[in-house]
Amino acid sequence: MAPTATQTQLLPPDLPAAVIPKQFGNYKEQAAGAKSYNTKLEEEGNADRPRANYVNYLPAWDPNEKHPPLEPFEHIEHGVNADKSFPDLLGPLAKVEDLTATIGSEISGVQLSSLSNAGKDQLALLAAQRKVLAFRDQDFADLPIEKASEFGAYFGRLHVHPTSGAPKGHPEIHVVHRGTDDRSGEILLETRTSTVAWHSDVTYEKQPPGTTFLYILDTPTTGGDTLFVNQAEAYQRLSPAFRERLHGLKAVHSGHEQADSARHRDSIVRREPVTNIHPIVRTHPATGEKALYVNPQFTRHIVGYKKDESDALLKFLFDHIAYGADFQARVKWAKGTVVVWDVSQVGNSVGAFF
């Protein structure tokens, strides 16, 4: 038999531990955070890298900032009684173009910050129906942070993320920030074949978020797109018998891996991590739609199943969601873009590092 053309090179036994990136189960860390943050470079820039356009939004990580466990609260779903013809949201200048047949719409001719309460209710409903809305030419980034927070608070209690950086004095603002010297994407690819990490935000909380707003501050020329997946459509694609089998099943969602990753990066943990149990299928109160509610970032196992059984079923659901290109959409960011989506029915991932 002829020898193979290539030879496997094994790692030497004395390889330093620091060369092997630490992993935290299925959780993928997608930002270096405080560990690589250069305050002077971000605020002032240099000959090669411009300063941040919105210095007031630059993240801070205060190790002394600690928050108690979240208390239960009564949530009002504003889309329930909204006018389904959207007269206060989509005025005569509004232009709506669907991104795909199954998820997402791009909307122009609407200024979100000027909406009445009725318009905000209709916004919550439209987000629940179309899952993702991309509004162009918005003024959110130029508003005082307090005004942006006030707008968001209409839709429910603002969530304080347990590990992310936030503008000083505004822990309720979750800044998705990649520093000028951030190599987290390269480091992640040393142990993973892809940076894509499908998730629904902070599903480990007892009362996870609903209507969510993300607006752009600085954006690269290319890269940084956000992928979205319609998990209600993912549910509908399953056979009736399979859907029925999922009803009544619950899964454990964990924030411990995210907290462990933050500590490993010398970042912060504002609030001690939690685990909570949620149904695998959730029903939206405004639309009545059922949607899958699992994701590989935070969903760990199915209650009452043995590990092998749970892993097999969750892997099928994770793959079903990830491979469903015909119920996914990609949003390319541009100055003035605000994206609104309903986290209870939509998963997302960064499309590519930049």
Side-chain angles (χ1 to χ4, degrees):
M1 180 180 291
T4 58
T6 60
Q7 186 174 22
T8 301
Q9 180 175 348
L10 300 177
L11 293 175
D14 57 348
L15 184 71
V19 176
I20 305 175
K22 187 173 178 59
Q23 299 184 58
F24 302 90
N26 287 337
Y27 180 76
K28 288 184 179 180
E29 184 53 61
Q30 296 188 309
K35 199 168 186 176
S36 68
Y37 186 72
N38 186 325
T39 302
K40 182 178 176 65
L41 189 58
E42 296 287 343
E43 293 181 352
E44 300 177 10
N46 61 23
D48 299 319
R49 298 170 179 171
R51 71 190 289 271
N53 286 323
Y54 294 89
V55 174
N56 59 321
Y57 269 101
L58 285 175
W61 295 265
D62 182 357
N64 297 316
E65 181 186 348
K66 299 295 181 182
H67 291 252
L70 293 178
E71 295 291 335
F73 68 101
E74 183 179 356
H75 175 68
I76 298 173
E77 175 52 57
H78 286 277
V80 170
N81 297 315
D83 189 328
K84 294 179 174 59
S85 64
F86 308 106
D88 304 285
L89 173 64
L90 304 177
L93 299 179
K95 181 180 178 181
V96 181
E97 183 176 347
D98 290 344
L99 296 176
T100 76
T102 56
I103 176 175
S105 297
E106 183 169 311
I107 301 175
S108 59
V110 174
Q111 192 57 252
L112 293 176
S113 62
S114 300
L115 290 178
S116 64
N117 286 350
K120 294 174 186 175
D121 293 346
Q122 293 160 27
L123 174 62
L125 177 60
L126 187 59
Q129 290 179 347
R130 289 297 302 162
K131 308 302 181 283
V132 178
L133 307 173
F135 291 87
R136 304 298 187 180
D137 303 315
Q138 301 298 303
D139 61 6
F140 258 58
D142 298 311
L143 295 175
I145 294 179
E146 294 81 4
K147 288 294 184 183
S149 293
E150 180 182 328
F151 183 94
Y154 177 83
F155 298 87
R157 184 175 72 180
L158 298 179
H159 180 262
V160 174
H161 197 280
T163 67
S164 71
K168 290 181 179 179
H170 294 281
E172 77 282 2
I173 299 292
H174 172 61
V175 179
V176 182
H177 179 271
R178 196 164 307 286
T180 50
D181 295 322
D182 191 328
R183 292 187 57 252
S184 57
E186 300 169 43
I187 294 172
L188 179 62
L189 288 175
E190 291 176 7
T191 59
R192 304 295 185 99
T193 58
S194 171
T195 61
V196 171
W198 286 110
H199 65 283
S200 296
D201 295 317
V202 298
T203 58
Y204 48 75
E205 300 288 18
K206 184 71 172 178
Q207 294 174 277
T211 307
T212 298
F213 296 81
L214 186 62
Y215 48 103
I216 194 71
L217 301 171
D218 291 300
T219 182
T221 304
T222 186
D225 300 356
T226 303
L227 309 177
F228 295 93
V229 58
N230 182 346
Q231 298 194 175
E233 182 65 22
Y235 168 82
Q236 287 297 330
R237 296 291 178 89
L238 301 173
S239 66
F242 198 96
R243 296 199 300 262
E244 184 178 356
R245 186 65 193 89
L246 295 179
H247 294 171
L249 293 181
K250 297 181 179 181
V252 174
H253 297 246
S254 170
H256 287 268
E257 295 81 2
Q258 187 178 72
D260 290 344
S261 174
R263 291 187 176 108
H264 177 70
R265 293 177 289 113
D266 299 328
S267 192
I268 63 169
V269 177
R270 293 188 184 89
R271 193 171 58 250
E272 287 304 304
V274 296
T275 60
N276 277 293
I277 296 173
H278 298 297
I280 285 180
V281 177
R282 292 181 61 182
T283 302
H284 197 281
T287 65
E289 282 187 294
K290 289 180 168 56
L292 295 178
Y293 197 66
V294 294
N295 69 90
Q297 284 284 75
F298 304 122
T299 309
R300 294 295 165 252
H301 66 267
I302 299 172
V303 176
Y305 273 33
K306 293 183 178 181
K307 185 180 188 308
D308 296 338
E309 298 166 341
S310 174
D311 288 351
L313 181 51
L314 286 178
K315 182 181 186 305
F316 169 79
L317 294 175
F318 295 160
D319 288 348
H320 173 56
I321 291 167
Y323 298 154
D326 53 346
F327 46 85
Q328 296 173 7
R330 177 187 291 261
V331 173
K332 184 173 179 60
W333 294 94
K335 182 178 174 58
T337 299
V338 175
V339 173
V340 187
W341 75 98
D342 194 310
V343 174
S344 69
Q345 295 190 308
V346 176
N348 72 90
S349 174
V350 63
F353 277 95
F354 49 92

